[in-house]
Amino acid sequence: GQQVMQIPQYQHVQEGEDFTTYCNSSTTLSNIQWYKQRPGGHPVFLIQLVKSGEVKKQKRLTFQFGEAKKNSSLHITATQTTDVGTYFCAVTGNQFYFGTGTSLTVIP
Amino acid sequence: DAGVIQSPRHEVTEMGQEVTLRCKPISGHNSLFWYRQTMMRGLELLIYFNNNVPIDDSGMPEDRFSAKMPNASFSTLKIQPSEPRDSAVYFCASSGQHNQPQHFGDGTRLSIL
């Protein structure tokens, strides 16, 4: 079945450093969503990407959808302690898959 | 506006007992999803409903698990009999349509002793 792999699994950064997580699929995706889950919390929707090569920004967060629609990335500029959590990509369509997630730790 | 409401928040029970988890989706949402989250397996989709009809239950682990959605405002996930390996956080989520952003409840933290 379709699988969505995320890398890295864990990332520790100093506050102020940048952070990127990547989501890769073996098949072409119709769209992709990104979620954030704080420790002890539930996943919260961040954004949805639909178009090939699409780039969207939310303040310090930049989301990209690959030209071939098989990969996506989330980049955080100048991380803050409030960015701590696990970031998931999710594939929607006829079936639903959440990526394995990237756990981000920000060291003050 | 009320979000997705799940109950109970925590459940601790002995193996062999029946466990029922409940979910009230956001009013007007047509799709409802049940997920299980563990450290080992991550976030797994168990089943999803569209307009109260189960569409994909391929993620349901085995016959001990069953889910129902008798109406648009209520769904249950039942485990009978429960086993220690069922211990996890179970999330319910709803969305307007199946491809739209999902809104998650706070989850039920289930411990089977």
Side-chain angles (χ1 to χ4, degrees), chain A residues 10 31 33 35 37 40-45 48 88 92-96 98, chain B residues 33 35 37 39 43 45 48 56 58 91 98-102 104-106 109:
Chain A
Y10 303 97
N31 59 52
Q33 298 174 352
Y35 293 77
Q37 184 176 20
H42 58 270
V44 175
F45 172 78
Q48 177 165 292
F88 293 96
T92 69
N94 292 330
Q95 293 182 306
F96 298 86
F98 270 75
Chain B
F33 308 81
Y35 291 90
Q37 186 173 40
M39 288 294 293
L43 193 60
L45 176 67
Y48 86 91
D56 182 2
S58 59
F91 286 106
H98 72 285
N99 274 349
Q100 292 181 347
Q102 296 181 25
F104 283 73
D106 289 335
R109 188 171 297 275

CSV table of all heavy atoms in Angstrom, one decimal, chain A residues 10 31 33 35 37 40-45 48 88 92-96 98, chain B residues 33 35 37 39 43 45 48 56 58 91 98-102 104-106 109:
chain,number,residue,atom,x,y,z
A,10,TYR,N,13.6,12.6,14.3
A,10,TYR,CA,13.8,13.6,15.4
A,10,TYR,C,14.7,14.7,15.0
A,10,TYR,O,15.6,14.5,14.2
A,10,TYR,CB,14.4,12.9,16.6
A,10,TYR,CG,13.6,11.7,17.1
A,10,TYR,CD1,13.9,10.4,16.8
A,10,TYR,CD2,12.5,11.9,18.0
A,10,TYR,CE1,13.2,9.3,17.2
A,10,TYR,CE2,11.8,10.8,18.5
A,10,TYR,CZ,12.1,9.5,18.1
A,10,TYR,OH,11.4,8.5,18.6
A,31,ASN,N,-3.2,15.7,-3.1
A,31,ASN,CA,-2.9,16.8,-2.3
A,31,ASN,C,-2.2,16.4,-1.0
A,31,ASN,O,-2.1,15.2,-0.8
A,31,ASN,CB,-4.1,17.6,-1.9
A,31,ASN,CG,-5.2,16.8,-1.2
A,31,ASN,OD1,-4.8,16.2,-0.2
A,31,ASN,ND2,-6.4,16.8,-1.7
A,33,GLN,N,-1.5,17.5,3.3
A,33,GLN,CA,-1.8,18.4,4.4
A,33,GLN,C,-0.7,18.3,5.4
A,33,GLN,O,0.0,17.3,5.5
A,33,GLN,CB,-3.2,18.0,5.1
A,33,GLN,CG,-4.4,18.1,4.1
A,33,GLN,CD,-5.6,17.6,4.8
A,33,GLN,OE1,-5.6,17.0,5.8
A,33,GLN,NE2,-6.8,17.8,4.1
A,35,TYR,N,0.1,18.9,9.6
A,35,TYR,CA,-0.4,19.0,11.0
A,35,TYR,C,0.7,19.2,12.0
A,35,TYR,O,1.8,18.7,11.8
A,35,TYR,CB,-1.3,17.8,11.4
A,35,TYR,CG,-2.5,17.6,10.6
A,35,TYR,CD1,-2.5,17.1,9.3
A,35,TYR,CD2,-3.8,18.0,11.1
A,35,TYR,CE1,-3.7,17.0,8.5
A,35,TYR,CE2,-5.0,17.8,10.4
A,35,TYR,CZ,-4.9,17.3,9.1
A,35,TYR,OH,-6.0,17.2,8.3
A,37,GLN,N,1.4,18.6,16.2
A,37,GLN,CA,0.9,18.0,17.5
A,37,GLN,C,1.8,18.4,18.6
A,37,GLN,O,3.0,18.0,18.6
A,37,GLN,CB,0.7,16.5,17.4
A,37,GLN,CG,0.1,15.8,18.6
A,37,GLN,CD,-0.1,14.3,18.4
A,37,GLN,OE1,0.6,13.7,17.6
A,37,GLN,NE2,-1.0,13.7,19.2
A,40,GLY,N,1.4,15.8,24.3
A,40,GLY,CA,0.2,15.6,25.1
A,40,GLY,C,-1.1,16.2,24.4
A,40,GLY,O,-2.2,16.1,25.0
A,41,GLY,N,-0.9,16.7,23.2
A,41,GLY,CA,-2.1,17.3,22.5
A,41,GLY,C,-2.6,16.5,21.4
A,41,GLY,O,-2.2,15.3,21.2
A,42,HIS,N,-3.4,17.1,20.5
A,42,HIS,CA,-3.9,16.4,19.4
A,42,HIS,C,-3.4,17.1,18.1
A,42,HIS,O,-3.0,18.3,18.2
A,42,HIS,CB,-5.5,16.4,19.4
A,42,HIS,CG,-6.1,17.8,19.5
A,42,HIS,ND1,-6.4,18.4,20.6
A,42,HIS,CD2,-6.4,18.6,18.5
A,42,HIS,CE1,-6.9,19.6,20.4
A,42,HIS,NE2,-6.9,19.7,19.1
A,43,PRO,N,-3.4,16.4,17.0
A,43,PRO,CA,-2.9,17.1,15.7
A,43,PRO,C,-3.8,18.2,15.4
A,43,PRO,O,-5.1,18.2,15.5
A,43,PRO,CB,-3.1,15.9,14.7
A,43,PRO,CG,-3.0,14.7,15.5
A,43,PRO,CD,-3.7,15.0,16.8
A,44,VAL,N,-3.2,19.3,15.0
A,44,VAL,CA,-3.9,20.5,14.6
A,44,VAL,C,-3.5,20.8,13.1
A,44,VAL,O,-2.3,20.9,12.8
A,44,VAL,CB,-3.5,21.7,15.5
A,44,VAL,CG1,-4.2,23.0,15.0
A,44,VAL,CG2,-4.0,21.4,16.9
A,45,PHE,N,-4.5,21.1,12.3
A,45,PHE,CA,-4.3,21.3,10.9
A,45,PHE,C,-3.5,22.6,10.7
A,45,PHE,O,-3.8,23.7,11.3
A,45,PHE,CB,-5.6,21.4,10.1
A,45,PHE,CG,-5.5,21.9,8.7
A,45,PHE,CD1,-5.1,21.0,7.7
A,45,PHE,CD2,-5.8,23.2,8.4
A,45,PHE,CE1,-5.0,21.4,6.4
A,45,PHE,CE2,-5.8,23.6,7.1
A,45,PHE,CZ,-5.3,22.7,6.1
A,48,GLN,N,-3.0,23.0,3.6
A,48,GLN,CA,-3.1,22.0,2.6
A,48,GLN,C,-2.5,22.5,1.3
A,48,GLN,O,-2.7,23.7,0.9
A,48,GLN,CB,-4.6,21.7,2.4
A,48,GLN,CG,-4.9,20.8,1.2
A,48,GLN,CD,-6.3,20.2,1.3
A,48,GLN,OE1,-6.7,19.5,2.2
A,48,GLN,NE2,-7.1,20.6,0.3
A,88,PHE,N,3.4,16.4,11.2
A,88,PHE,CA,3.0,15.3,10.4
A,88,PHE,C,2.6,15.9,9.0
A,88,PHE,O,1.9,16.9,8.9
A,88,PHE,CB,1.8,14.6,11.0
A,88,PHE,CG,2.0,13.9,12.2
A,88,PHE,CD1,1.8,14.5,13.5
A,88,PHE,CD2,2.5,12.6,12.2
A,88,PHE,CE1,2.0,13.8,14.6
A,88,PHE,CE2,2.7,11.9,13.4
A,88,PHE,CZ,2.4,12.5,14.6
A,92,THR,N,-4.3,12.8,1.6
A,92,THR,CA,-5.7,12.6,1.5
A,92,THR,C,-6.1,12.2,0.1
A,92,THR,O,-5.4,12.5,-0.8
A,92,THR,CB,-6.5,13.8,2.0
A,92,THR,OG1,-6.3,14.9,1.0
A,92,THR,CG2,-5.9,14.3,3.3
A,93,GLY,N,-7.3,11.7,0.0
A,93,GLY,CA,-7.8,11.3,-1.3
A,93,GLY,C,-8.7,10.1,-1.1
A,93,GLY,O,-9.5,10.1,-0.2
A,94,ASN,N,-8.5,9.1,-1.9
A,94,ASN,CA,-9.3,7.9,-1.7
A,94,ASN,C,-8.9,7.2,-0.4
A,94,ASN,O,-9.7,6.4,0.2
A,94,ASN,CB,-9.2,6.9,-2.8
A,94,ASN,CG,-9.8,7.5,-4.1
A,94,ASN,OD1,-10.8,8.2,-4.0
A,94,ASN,ND2,-9.3,7.2,-5.2
A,95,GLN,N,-7.7,7.3,0.0
A,95,GLN,CA,-7.2,6.8,1.3
A,95,GLN,C,-6.5,7.8,2.0
A,95,GLN,O,-6.2,8.9,1.5
A,95,GLN,CB,-6.3,5.6,1.0
A,95,GLN,CG,-7.0,4.4,0.4
A,95,GLN,CD,-6.1,3.2,0.2
A,95,GLN,OE1,-5.0,3.3,-0.4
A,95,GLN,NE2,-6.4,2.1,0.7
A,96,PHE,N,-6.3,7.6,3.3
A,96,PHE,CA,-5.7,8.6,4.2
A,96,PHE,C,-4.5,8.0,4.9
A,96,PHE,O,-4.5,6.9,5.4
A,96,PHE,CB,-6.7,9.0,5.2
A,96,PHE,CG,-7.9,9.7,4.7
A,96,PHE,CD1,-9.0,8.9,4.2
A,96,PHE,CD2,-7.9,11.0,4.5
A,96,PHE,CE1,-10.1,9.5,3.7
A,96,PHE,CE2,-9.0,11.6,4.0
A,96,PHE,CZ,-10.1,10.9,3.5
A,98,PHE,N,-1.2,9.3,7.4
A,98,PHE,CA,-0.4,10.2,8.1
A,98,PHE,C,1.1,9.8,8.0
A,98,PHE,O,1.4,8.6,8.1
A,98,PHE,CB,-0.7,10.4,9.5
A,98,PHE,CG,-1.8,11.4,9.8
A,98,PHE,CD1,-3.1,11.2,9.4
A,98,PHE,CD2,-1.5,12.7,10.3
A,98,PHE,CE1,-4.1,12.2,9.6
A,98,PHE,CE2,-2.4,13.6,10.5
A,98,PHE,CZ,-3.7,13.4,10.1
B,33,PHE,N,-13.5,10.3,11.3
B,33,PHE,CA,-12.4,9.4,11.3
B,33,PHE,C,-12.0,8.9,12.7
B,33,PHE,O,-12.1,9.7,13.6
B,33,PHE,CB,-11.1,10.1,10.7
B,33,PHE,CG,-11.4,10.8,9.4
B,33,PHE,CD1,-12.0,12.0,9.3
B,33,PHE,CD2,-10.9,10.2,8.2
B,33,PHE,CE1,-12.2,12.7,8.1
B,33,PHE,CE2,-11.1,10.8,7.0
B,33,PHE,CZ,-11.8,12.1,7.0
B,35,TYR,N,-8.7,7.3,14.7
B,35,TYR,CA,-7.3,7.0,14.7
B,35,TYR,C,-6.8,6.4,16.0
B,35,TYR,O,-7.4,6.6,17.0
B,35,TYR,CB,-6.5,8.3,14.4
B,35,TYR,CG,-6.7,8.9,13.1
B,35,TYR,CD1,-7.7,9.9,12.9
B,35,TYR,CD2,-5.8,8.6,12.0
B,35,TYR,CE1,-7.8,10.5,11.7
B,35,TYR,CE2,-6.0,9.3,10.8
B,35,TYR,CZ,-6.9,10.2,10.6
B,35,TYR,OH,-7.1,10.8,9.4
B,37,GLN,N,-3.1,6.1,18.1
B,37,GLN,CA,-1.7,6.6,18.1
B,37,GLN,C,-0.9,5.9,19.2
B,37,GLN,O,-1.3,5.9,20.4
B,37,GLN,CB,-1.6,8.1,18.3
B,37,GLN,CG,-0.2,8.7,18.2
B,37,GLN,CD,-0.2,10.2,18.2
B,37,GLN,OE1,-0.9,10.8,19.0
B,37,GLN,NE2,0.6,10.8,17.4
B,39,MET,N,3.5,5.0,20.2
B,39,MET,CA,4.9,5.3,19.9
B,39,MET,C,5.4,4.4,18.8
B,39,MET,O,6.2,4.9,17.9
B,39,MET,CB,5.8,5.2,21.2
B,39,MET,CG,5.5,6.2,22.2
B,39,MET,SD,6.0,7.9,21.6
B,39,MET,CE,7.8,7.6,21.5
B,43,LEU,N,0.5,7.3,14.0
B,43,LEU,CA,-0.9,7.6,13.9
B,43,LEU,C,-1.5,6.8,12.8
B,43,LEU,O,-1.2,6.9,11.7
B,43,LEU,CB,-1.0,9.1,13.6
B,43,LEU,CG,-2.4,9.8,13.7
B,43,LEU,CD1,-2.9,9.7,15.2
B,43,LEU,CD2,-2.3,11.3,13.3
B,45,LEU,N,-4.9,5.3,10.8
B,45,LEU,CA,-6.3,5.4,10.6
B,45,LEU,C,-7.0,4.0,10.7
B,45,LEU,O,-6.6,3.1,10.1
B,45,LEU,CB,-6.6,5.9,9.1
B,45,LEU,CG,-8.0,6.0,8.7
B,45,LEU,CD1,-8.8,7.0,9.5
B,45,LEU,CD2,-8.1,6.3,7.2
B,48,TYR,N,-13.0,5.2,8.5
B,48,TYR,CA,-13.7,6.5,8.4
B,48,TYR,C,-15.0,6.4,7.7
B,48,TYR,O,-15.3,5.4,7.0
B,48,TYR,CB,-12.8,7.5,7.6
B,48,TYR,CG,-12.8,7.5,6.1
B,48,TYR,CD1,-13.7,8.3,5.4
B,48,TYR,CD2,-11.9,6.8,5.4
B,48,TYR,CE1,-13.8,8.4,4.0
B,48,TYR,CE2,-11.9,6.8,4.0
B,48,TYR,CZ,-12.9,7.6,3.3
B,48,TYR,OH,-12.9,7.7,2.0
B,56,ASP,N,-14.0,3.1,4.6
B,56,ASP,CA,-12.8,2.3,4.6
B,56,ASP,C,-12.5,1.9,6.0
B,56,ASP,O,-12.2,2.7,6.9
B,56,ASP,CB,-11.7,3.2,4.1
B,56,ASP,CG,-10.3,2.4,4.0
B,56,ASP,OD1,-10.3,1.2,4.3
B,56,ASP,OD2,-9.3,3.0,3.6
B,58,SER,N,-10.3,-0.7,6.5
B,58,SER,CA,-9.2,-1.6,6.4
B,58,SER,C,-8.1,-1.5,7.5
B,58,SER,O,-7.3,-2.4,7.7
B,58,SER,CB,-8.5,-1.4,5.0
B,58,SER,OG,-8.1,0.0,4.9
B,91,PHE,N,-8.0,8.8,18.7
B,91,PHE,CA,-8.5,10.1,18.3
B,91,PHE,C,-9.6,9.9,17.4
B,91,PHE,O,-9.6,9.1,16.5
B,91,PHE,CB,-7.4,10.9,17.6
B,91,PHE,CG,-6.3,11.5,18.5
B,91,PHE,CD1,-5.0,10.9,18.5
B,91,PHE,CD2,-6.5,12.6,19.3
B,91,PHE,CE1,-4.0,11.4,19.3
B,91,PHE,CE2,-5.5,13.1,20.1
B,91,PHE,CZ,-4.3,12.5,20.1
B,98,HIS,N,-14.4,14.6,2.8
B,98,HIS,CA,-13.3,13.7,3.2
B,98,HIS,C,-11.9,14.2,2.8
B,98,HIS,O,-10.9,13.8,3.4
B,98,HIS,CB,-13.5,12.3,2.6
B,98,HIS,CG,-13.3,12.2,1.1
B,98,HIS,ND1,-14.2,12.8,0.2
B,98,HIS,CD2,-12.3,11.7,0.4
B,98,HIS,CE1,-13.8,12.5,-1.0
B,98,HIS,NE2,-12.7,11.9,-0.9
B,99,ASN,N,-11.8,15.2,1.9
B,99,ASN,CA,-10.5,15.7,1.5
B,99,ASN,C,-10.1,17.0,2.2
B,99,ASN,O,-9.0,17.6,2.0
B,99,ASN,CB,-10.4,16.0,0.0
B,99,ASN,CG,-10.0,14.7,-0.7
B,99,ASN,OD1,-9.6,13.7,-0.1
B,99,ASN,ND2,-10.2,14.8,-2.0
B,100,GLN,N,-11.0,17.5,3.0
B,100,GLN,CA,-10.8,18.8,3.7
B,100,GLN,C,-10.1,18.6,5.0
B,100,GLN,O,-9.9,17.5,5.5
B,100,GLN,CB,-12.2,19.5,3.9
B,100,GLN,CG,-12.8,19.9,2.6
B,100,GLN,CD,-14.1,20.6,2.8
B,100,GLN,OE1,-14.7,20.6,3.9
B,100,GLN,NE2,-14.6,21.2,1.7
B,101,PRO,N,-9.5,19.7,5.6
B,101,PRO,CA,-8.8,19.6,6.8
B,101,PRO,C,-9.6,18.9,7.9
B,101,PRO,O,-10.8,19.1,8.0
B,101,PRO,CB,-8.5,21.0,7.2
B,101,PRO,CG,-8.5,21.7,5.9
B,101,PRO,CD,-9.5,21.0,5.0
B,102,GLN,N,-8.9,18.1,8.7
B,102,GLN,CA,-9.5,17.3,9.7
B,102,GLN,C,-9.3,18.0,11.1
B,102,GLN,O,-8.3,18.6,11.4
B,102,GLN,CB,-8.9,15.9,9.8
B,102,GLN,CG,-9.2,15.1,8.6
B,102,GLN,CD,-8.6,13.7,8.6
B,102,GLN,OE1,-8.4,13.1,9.7
B,102,GLN,NE2,-8.3,13.1,7.5
B,104,PHE,N,-9.4,17.4,15.0
B,104,PHE,CA,-9.3,16.3,16.0
B,104,PHE,C,-9.9,16.7,17.3
B,104,PHE,O,-9.8,17.8,17.8
B,104,PHE,CB,-7.8,16.0,16.2
B,104,PHE,CG,-7.2,15.2,15.0
B,104,PHE,CD1,-6.9,15.8,13.8
B,104,PHE,CD2,-6.9,13.8,15.2
B,104,PHE,CE1,-6.4,15.1,12.8
B,104,PHE,CE2,-6.4,13.1,14.2
B,104,PHE,CZ,-6.1,13.7,12.9
B,105,GLY,N,-10.4,15.6,18.0
B,105,GLY,CA,-10.8,15.8,19.4
B,105,GLY,C,-9.5,15.6,20.3
B,105,GLY,O,-8.4,15.4,19.8
B,106,ASP,N,-9.7,15.8,21.6
B,106,ASP,CA,-8.6,15.7,22.5
B,106,ASP,C,-8.1,14.3,22.7
B,106,ASP,O,-7.1,14.1,23.3
B,106,ASP,CB,-9.0,16.3,23.8
B,106,ASP,CG,-9.2,17.8,23.8
B,106,ASP,OD1,-8.5,18.4,22.9
B,106,ASP,OD2,-9.9,18.4,24.6
B,109,ARG,N,-7.2,8.4,26.2
B,109,ARG,CA,-6.0,7.7,26.5
B,109,ARG,C,-6.5,6.4,27.2
B,109,ARG,O,-7.0,6.4,28.3
B,109,ARG,CB,-5.1,8.5,27.5
B,109,ARG,CG,-3.8,7.9,27.8
B,109,ARG,CD,-2.9,8.9,28.5
B,109,ARG,NE,-2.6,10.1,27.8
B,109,ARG,CZ,-1.6,10.2,26.9
B,109,ARG,NH1,-0.8,9.1,26.6
B,109,ARG,NH2,-1.4,11.3,26.2
